[in-house]
Amino acid sequence: MSASAPPPFQRFLQEQRAPVWRFLVASVGPVDADDCFQETFVSALRAYPRLRADSNLRAWVLTIAHRKALDVHRARARGAVPVAEPDDFERDRVPPPQPRDEALWEAVEELPARQRSAVMLRFVADLAHREIADAIGCSEDAARRSLHEGLTKLRKAVPA
Amino acid sequence: MSPTTTKNGDRVEDRLRSLAPGATPGMDRATERLLARVHDQHLADVSYAPVDSPFGPLLAAASERGLLRLAFPEEDIDSVLELLARRCSPRIVESRPALEPARRELDEYFSGSRSAFDLPLDWSLMSDFGRRVLRVTAEIPYGGVSTYKEVATDAGSPRGSRAAGNALGSNPIPIVIPCHRVLHSTGGLGGYGGGLDRKQFLLELEGAPLSGRPQVRGSARITSGPRTRRR
């Protein structure tokens, strides 16, 4: 088996789109997730031939998704992009969804960017600590710390 | 969602896990939008799609240069695409619109209304020798046949019948590059990567002089059959 090329992009897309989608929906909400999803996979496609065959594809694409999500949060912080209305969420789901966990959403939204990403990459995209560190560009220890601090804040913010 | 109380922390983690839905219509729509954009902006290097044929669905793959690969139904799609990823580019995406010209011409060919393909071809999957052999093969007219020996000679290797046979056997674009029109000097069908039944089927579809067999002699030049039957 040649190790010189990553798998055909279509297969990569099939395999990675669900974790990327979940991560983005959890990070920026379903409405902005659509644009972020486009941007993530278009960036991935552009860079794809330079990728080594033995790269960790999931961690790599979630690194990109993480950056795109950060862009959205930065834009929101500047007031450029309004946070999507609940109505927009509802039409994305058939049949009627479980009620959104608003308290948790808000608490996640309040977290500092790195903690928010660490929490989402761990529990929504199922990445290991090492992969989280790669995705957000820090040491494994720092990733662990961000995750821990993020979880601690969430536990405080969201009553049991 | 009843809060059966475990540790407080576990609950937050579970709630985080259920924050994002699994597969949703939203994800499928986003994927469709992505693929449409990839097509419109020519972001992929290789596009592929299934194309119907009397043999079952063929896998057709094309680059910007032209049709690159046509695979018979029994070929393993993953292997075909992996080879393309290594040999051409891993930027491979499924796209029916990109293969529409190939689908149209193949439909017309199989319905008997097309006797020559006008599709641009991408010859990059072949070796130098294979390309020479297949370029010669591409000149054999509809309804005509040739022999391994003649094809080898025209490709510049008069003693290379066997090598020419191998090159024809690994034709990446069968049907469109008509390797089925190359027979044994004795008149025997020879071989075919897609199976001899299909070779026979294609020759009969084209009305090639097959029945008597000896019509194809070792020294014969390319034999033209009834050229413009239905066109």
Side-chain angles (χ1 to χ4, degrees):
Chain A
M1 203 62 212
S2 161
S4 59
F9 188 84
Q10 184 77 34
R11 199 171 85 205
F12 162 79
L13 173 63
Q14 282 323 117
E15 289 170 358
Q16 307 303 340
R17 68 185 191 132
V20 167
W21 179 254
R22 286 167 51 79
F23 169 73
L24 289 172
V25 169
S27 299
V28 301
V31 176
D32 288 318
D34 192 302
D35 280 342
C36 276
F37 184 87
Q38 314 291 321
E39 296 304 321
T40 297
F41 279 106
V42 166
S43 293
L45 180 57
R46 291 212 161 96
Y48 200 63
R50 297 193 296 276
L51 201 63
R52 288 169 48 95
D54 55 2
S55 302
N56 182 330
L57 297 173
R58 177 154 303 179
W60 178 70
V61 71
L62 282 164
T63 305
I64 301 174
H66 159 71
R67 284 196 220 111
K68 303 297 179 191
L70 278 188
D71 290 345
V72 170
H73 282 286
R74 283 198 202 103
R76 280 180 191 167
R78 287 196 306 268
V81 181
V83 178
E85 291 297 314
D87 280 355
D88 292 331
F89 295 127
E90 300 309 327
R91 79 180 154 73
D92 197 48
R93 305 196 190 168
V94 277
Q98 306 158 346
R100 263 163 55 84
D101 195 339
E102 291 298 341
L104 183 58
W105 272 99
E106 280 167 27
V108 168
E109 193 77 5
E110 292 296 311
L111 291 178
R114 179 178 282 190
Q115 291 175 19
R116 183 175 55 233
S117 285
V119 166
M120 290 305 172
L121 289 167
R122 179 72 196 95
F123 294 105
V124 177
D126 279 327
L127 289 193
H129 293 109
R130 171 77 259 158
E131 297 171 316
I132 297 169
D134 289 344
I136 61 187
C138 64
S139 71
E140 194 171 334
D141 277 350
R144 248 178 238 282
R145 245 184 341 264
S146 295
L147 184 60
H148 179 74
E149 285 162 14
L151 273 180
T152 305
K153 280 185 196 153
L154 290 179
R155 284 183 192 129
K156 262 188 221 143
V158 187
Chain B
M1 276 200 258
S2 67
T4 35
T5 329
T6 54
K7 254 170 49 201
N8 194 9
D10 291 339
R11 283 211 52 235
V12 167
E13 289 154 24
D14 291 342
R15 284 167 70 180
L16 280 167
R17 286 199 172 91
S18 58
L19 208 50
T24 64
M27 178 174 80
D28 289 336
R29 272 204 308 276
T31 306
E32 270 170 41
R33 247 184 13 111
L34 171 71
L35 292 175
R37 178 171 165 193
V38 167
H39 176 70
D40 292 344
Q41 300 181 1
H42 303 274
L43 298 177
D45 296 325
V46 177
S47 306
Y48 72 93
V51 172
D52 281 339
S53 84
F55 307 139
L58 309 173
L59 179 80
S63 70
E64 289 287 307
R65 273 184 282 187
L67 188 64
L68 183 62
R69 184 78 170 86
L70 201 57
F72 286 112
E74 65 278 8
E75 293 186 71
D76 178 57
I77 294 179
D78 284 341
S79 317
V80 170
L81 297 179
E82 273 163 23
L83 184 83
L84 292 173
R86 288 199 300 275
R87 297 281 300 277
C88 301
S89 162
R91 274 193 272 228
I92 300 177
V93 163
E94 180 164 5
S95 168
R96 284 167 188 267
L99 275 303
E100 193 48 42
R103 182 195 335 279
R104 195 176 51 245
E105 292 202 10
L106 282 161
D107 276 352
E108 291 166 359
Y109 168 79
F110 282 118
S111 68
S113 64
R114 170 175 287 277
S115 59
F117 289 96
D118 299 320
L119 286 168
L121 303 182
D122 183 333
W123 301 77
S124 60
L125 284 178
M126 305 154 198
S127 66
D128 285 349
F129 179 70
R131 195 172 302 134
R132 286 209 303 279
V133 167
L134 291 168
R135 283 202 193 275
V136 169
T137 303
E139 299 300 317
I140 307 170
Y142 187 94
V145 289
S146 184
T147 66
Y148 294 104
K149 188 170 166 45
E150 282 165 0
V151 166
T153 304
D154 289 353
S157 305
R159 308 180 65 168
S161 299
R162 190 174 293 266
N166 290 338
L168 290 161
S170 51
N171 177 7
I173 322 173
I175 304 171
V176 176
I177 299 177
C179 58
H180 57 274
R181 295 177 194 155
V182 184
L183 312 179
H184 263 313
S185 308
T186 57
L189 270 181
Y192 193 58
L196 283 181
D197 287 355
R198 290 186 183 139
K199 189 171 191 173
Q200 179 107 26
F201 176 95
L202 294 171
L203 290 167
E204 282 170 6
L205 170 76
E206 298 177 0
L210 254 192
S211 43
R213 293 280 166 87
Q215 277 159 308
V216 184
R217 292 174 304 278
S219 59
R221 294 306 301 164
I222 288 167
T223 316
S224 282
R227 181 75 222 277
T228 45
R229 299 180 305 151
R230 286 162 285 179
R231 179 59 209 249

